[in-house]
Amino acid sequence: MKLEEARWLRAALPEGRTLYRYYKDRYSLQLLRYAVPVEVPVQALRASSVAGLLQKPRVRELLARCDGRLSPSLLQQADGDPADECYVLSLGLWRGQQMSRDGCNLVLQLNFARSHDVPFRHLVRPEEGVDPFNFHAHPVLDDERRERRYTLAWSRIDVDLDAGEALIEEVQSDWVRRAVAVQRYASGLEAGTMLLRFGVEADAARLQRYRDTLLARHAGMWDEAMLSATLFFLREELGIRHIYYHTPASGQWLKRILHRLTPRSLYTELPRRFCFRETDALPGFLARTRRVARLRKAHGALHMQVLQV
């Protein structure tokens, strides 16, 4: 999208913090809520595109007591977990590389809350003003406060409001894999040696404690929390219901990625869990371009994944 469109959209959205609560597999109830605007027979859902969601443990518990019919109110009642995690959403802009068309992407950032950041600072003692587990050139939250907020993950999105279409360019996290890498590096040092690199001041024991007691809560679900928040943002904040997601091949060709490919599972397993289906259709803002015409001539049909919410 054009930079001025992205800036206008960012300015038009409500200011302030947007809290987003998440627990493992919450997306299954979210997608069913989108698919069930009125009461429907469960048997009809078993023959629909969201049938795979019915096998999730929390959904199976709900189906066992719903008398064969699922309603919005039942889904609302089932949505909640006392052990959920609270995140803070923020919106940024990206004008760098790896975009499917020229212009600008919106960036939805999934940031940790104080329940993570305060004990993290106590354990790992990050250098003031430093974001230790995110790469500088990536689109994380730019927070210059002394007690800054840290970004767990982000998604980059291209949007066409007029057509009601969006393309999820990527879902990514530096934080989890870099925190693990730094802890492993520290574990190779002599016991008790203080690590004074990577913007932290901690030994291997402190880093291990952070990994076991704080990071573990997020590491196993950051990808689905990020994609779930992205769908929430697109559908409930922007009113967009036709959402595309790259396949490994379309992402590589359209974003001109030659090296350092994003983990394949983020373009295969993750969207599959969310009921995206493969299609040879593309968002209109891409399908009309000469570049796509050239790629189709060279490689045949370009396949993406699509979800109607």
Side-chain angles (χ1 to χ4, degrees):
M1 61 193 307
K2 294 181 179 179
L3 178 60
E4 52 268 28
E5 292 175 329
R7 284 175 171 166
W8 175 87
L9 183 57
R10 190 182 184 192
L13 292 171
E15 295 185 2
R17 297 188 310 162
T18 298
L19 301 182
Y20 190 74
R21 310 198 75 89
Y22 196 80
Y23 52 86
K24 185 67 176 173
D25 289 337
R26 188 188 180 195
Y27 74 89
S28 59
L29 294 173
Q30 175 189 9
L31 291 177
L32 283 172
R33 180 163 53 86
Y34 296 158
V36 180
V38 296
E39 184 177 287
V40 298
V42 172
Q43 199 59 35
L45 293 173
R46 295 191 191 282
S48 73
S49 60
V50 298
L53 302 175
L54 305 182
Q55 301 304 314
K56 294 297 180 182
R58 190 177 294 263
V59 178
R60 292 178 67 178
E61 292 176 9
L62 175 60
L63 296 182
R65 60 178 191 273
C66 75
D67 295 326
R69 299 185 70 83
L70 204 54
S71 67
S73 60
L74 286 175
L75 288 165
Q76 186 68 33
Q77 293 168 21
D79 186 9
D81 193 308
D84 64 7
E85 291 292 339
C86 183
Y87 297 105
V88 181
L89 301 181
S90 58
L91 192 63
L93 303 178
W94 174 256
R95 297 181 67 193
Q97 299 177 334
Q98 298 190 5
M99 295 190 298
S100 297
R101 64 169 173 166
D102 295 335
C104 181
N105 281 169
L106 294 174
V107 181
L108 186 67
Q109 295 145 341
L110 186 72
N111 306 299
F112 291 110
R114 286 179 55 84
S115 57
H116 166 275
D117 289 350
V118 172
F120 165 74
R121 280 191 284 267
H122 174 73
L123 274 174
V124 179
R125 293 181 287 199
E127 184 179 336
E128 187 174 328
V130 171
D131 191 339
F133 299 146
N134 280 314
F135 291 106
H136 175 70
H138 283 174
V140 298
L141 178 64
D142 184 15
D143 192 345
E144 297 181 353
R145 295 175 301 173
R146 182 175 181 179
E147 294 188 350
R148 63 181 300 153
R149 194 178 300 282
Y150 300 100
T151 298
L152 168 61
W154 69 87
S155 62
R156 285 196 293 110
I157 315 161
D158 199 346
V159 171
D160 184 341
L161 288 175
D162 292 333
E165 295 181 331
L167 168 63
I168 300 173
E169 295 270 29
E170 72 174 8
V171 170
Q172 192 169 336
S173 171
D174 290 336
W175 190 274
V176 172
R177 67 174 182 269
R178 187 161 170 82
V180 170
V182 171
Q183 182 273 321
R184 287 176 176 169
Y185 176 87
S187 67
L189 303 176
E190 185 177 344
T193 301
M194 195 67 64
L195 181 64
L196 299 177
R197 296 180 60 188
F198 310 109
V200 304
E201 186 180 346
D203 60 13
R206 281 177 170 269
L207 289 165
Q208 185 67 58
R209 202 178 318 150
Y210 166 67
R211 184 177 170 183
D212 292 343
T213 61
L214 286 175
L215 187 61
R217 305 175 193 174
H218 310 275
M221 65 177 189
W222 74 263
D223 54 349
E224 64 178 56
M226 186 70 256
L227 185 51
S228 177
T230 303
L231 297 182
F232 159 81
F233 170 70
L234 289 172
R235 188 186 193 274
E236 301 183 36
E237 296 285 344
L238 301 187
I240 292 176
R241 306 182 68 174
H242 206 66
I243 301 169
Y244 290 87
Y245 195 117
H246 276 299
T247 61
S250 72
Q252 184 174 358
W253 292 336
L254 288 170
K255 295 190 290 181
R256 305 176 180 90
I257 301 175
L258 302 178
H259 308 288
R260 297 177 65 86
L261 299 180
T262 304
R264 188 179 179 86
S265 63
L266 294 177
Y267 294 96
T268 54
E269 179 187 338
L270 178 62
R272 191 180 305 123
R273 278 189 276 155
F274 277 70
C275 303
F276 280 82
R277 58 179 177 81
E278 192 165 300
T279 177
D280 60 2
L282 301 181
F285 59 78
L286 289 179
R288 295 186 293 267
T289 64
R290 293 180 180 178
R291 182 161 168 262
V292 165
R294 290 196 302 268
L295 284 170
R296 281 176 163 164
K297 185 175 181 179
H299 301 284
L302 273 176
H303 293 274
M304 282 191 175
Q305 299 166 93
V306 68
L307 178 67
Q308 183 74 32
V309 295

